[in-house]
Amino acid sequence: MPSGAEICCEILLAILLPPLGVCFRHGCCSVEFLICLLLTFLGYVPGIIYAIYVIVAVNREPYPDDYWRPINA
């Protein structure tokens, strides 16, 4: 779970350069990054809106760490 400061820095980067903020959160070869890059080329504001949505709402870890942890008996 990212800290509040980390999310604030990513949102600030997403406002300045939307694909960069998404790249830090999801990586450069993710679908989210490519969609953000395309939206930024088509228009700066849609890229910002999508980047902030992806940073705040989309979880990069589909399973929590406890899900794969073995049970200690």
Side-chain angles (χ1 to χ4, degrees):
M1 177 78 97
S3 67
E6 182 179 340
I7 291 175
C8 286
C9 289
E10 289 173 352
I11 289 174
L12 212 88
L13 281 173
I15 293 171
L16 297 174
L17 292 169
L20 187 62
V22 175
C23 178
F24 283 154
R25 169 70 75 183
H26 294 281
C28 290
C29 295
S30 66
V31 175
E32 290 87 2
F33 175 75
L34 295 176
I35 292 172
C36 187
L37 191 65
L38 178 69
L39 285 173
T40 304
F41 283 144
L42 294 175
Y44 186 66
V45 174
I48 292 173
I49 293 170
Y50 181 75
I52 291 174
Y53 167 74
V54 166
I55 289 170
V56 173
V58 177
N59 189 6
R60 68 176 160 183
E61 298 175 0
Y63 302 108
D65 292 336
D66 295 338
Y67 184 78
W68 295 107
R69 187 172 296 159
I71 298 173
N72 296 331

